Amino acid sequence: MEAVITILALLVVVFIALGVYATVKAVGAAKRGVDRTITQARRTVEDTTLRAKSFGQPGVAGELAQLRLSLRTSMRATQDALHAGAAEDASLAESVALFRRLSAHGLELDDELKRLEREPDRTTVASLLPKLRERTRQITHSAESLRWAARDRARQFADDDLDALNAQIDIEAGALRHWTTDEPAQSGAAKNAASPGRGPGTDWPDPAATTDPSATNSSTADEAWSGPAREESPQAITAPDPRLRTTYPWQKSTRPETTN
């Protein structure tokens, strides 16, 4: 009885532990989903704000907003392209690692541009704009190189797969239309059989068997000089020897004739 109670207590503890673990996992997943949603919403709001500043504010502030928007758009597009391609192509792992290193420089530049947006000394910020443009151009150019290389690789694989699929479909279509290749051969054989010329079963007349007067006269002259032609003597028909006749066990023996 005590053993049964102990087993039931252990089962209750196990079920409670599993319930707590499942609850924690569900809460964590929900929290990550909420954080992801909040981050996406914050990013959308920030991009909209930068777009509005780049078009609505002239001068240094507008150019800083334009640099940030260009940087963020390029980096996000490259990140999405590499992550989508790495799920199907393992060779993009090195490209993803390079992009992570590039992202560190991009985040550093984005933070610097964000700080300069709040800088009241516009003259100093304007003097820094050429270097900021060059850094932004280098980072976006590298990101675009990785992005377009990944896209070209995926498109090349898709083209190769499509060419192989088209070749297989052509072979299958030809196999399904097998009668189109058999009909010319059959029609050619039927045409040869119907033609009056020499065919596989046609016998040409023997030139030696044609009647030629000169050949007849020549053979007559040969018979005159060689004497009368020898005639083949007919072979005598002889009855088979009854001793050599083969007998079989199932045959009945011949009954002798009785003499009166």
Side-chain angles (χ1 to χ4, degrees):
M1 188 64 183
E2 295 178 356
V4 175
I5 296 175
T6 304
I7 293 174
L8 291 176
L10 290 176
L11 289 176
V12 171
V13 172
V14 169
F15 286 140
I16 292 174
L18 289 176
V20 172
Y21 177 77
T23 303
V24 171
K25 295 292 289 184
V27 171
K31 185 177 182 298
R32 286 192 298 270
V34 172
D35 294 340
R36 191 181 303 111
T37 303
I38 293 175
T39 303
Q40 184 68 27
R42 186 185 297 114
R43 184 184 303 162
T44 303
V45 172
E46 193 169 2
D47 290 344
T48 304
T49 304
L50 289 175
R51 191 173 289 107
K53 287 182 178 180
S54 63
F55 289 105
Q57 293 183 357
V60 177
E63 189 167 358
L64 289 175
Q66 181 64 36
L67 290 177
R68 286 192 65 196
L69 183 63
S70 174
L71 177 64
R72 292 164 64 91
T73 303
S74 178
M75 296 297 287
R76 188 177 302 119
T78 304
Q79 180 180 1
D80 295 341
L82 290 179
H83 287 174
E88 300 178 357
D89 189 1
S91 60
L92 292 179
E94 183 65 23
S95 300
V96 173
L98 291 175
F99 177 75
R100 288 173 182 168
R101 296 173 56 187
L102 183 65
S103 296
H105 293 278
L107 291 174
E108 182 181 357
L109 178 60
D110 185 66
D111 292 338
E112 184 175 356
L113 292 173
K114 186 185 297 186
R115 287 193 303 269
L116 292 176
E117 285 180 349
R118 299 187 296 267
E119 177 65 38
D121 189 1
R122 296 301 180 183
T123 305
T124 306
V125 175
S127 64
L128 296 176
L129 280 178
K131 294 182 179 180
L132 295 174
R133 291 195 203 99
E134 180 62 22
R135 288 177 61 188
T136 304
R137 188 195 66 80
Q138 291 179 354
I139 294 175
T140 55
H141 175 71
S142 299
E144 289 173 357
S145 298
L146 287 175
R147 181 172 70 252
W148 284 110
R151 290 177 178 176
D152 292 342
R153 181 179 178 86
R155 184 170 58 252
Q156 182 63 35
F157 284 162
D159 293 342
D160 294 343
D161 184 68
L162 181 60
D163 293 340
L165 180 60
N166 289 334
Q168 293 177 1
I169 289 175
D170 292 340
I171 294 174
E172 181 65 18
L176 292 176
R177 295 193 186 97
H178 61 87
W179 63 87
T180 59
T181 57
D182 295 342
E183 284 181 355
Q186 293 178 359
S187 61
K191 187 181 295 183
N192 292 332
S195 61
R198 183 175 184 180
T202 306
D203 294 333
W204 288 92
D206 189 2
T210 55
T211 305
D212 189 0
S214 61
T216 304
N217 296 334
S218 176
S219 61
T220 306
D222 291 339
E223 289 177 359
W225 284 104
S226 61
R230 293 180 298 175
E231 297 181 358
E232 295 182 357
S233 58
Q235 297 180 358
I237 301 176
T238 57
D241 191 355
R243 293 174 299 176
L244 301 177
R245 183 179 300 172
T246 303
T247 58
Y248 299 95
W250 60 82
Q251 294 181 349
K252 296 181 179 181
S253 58
T254 304
R255 298 177 60 185
E257 296 182 357
T258 57
T259 54
N260 296 329

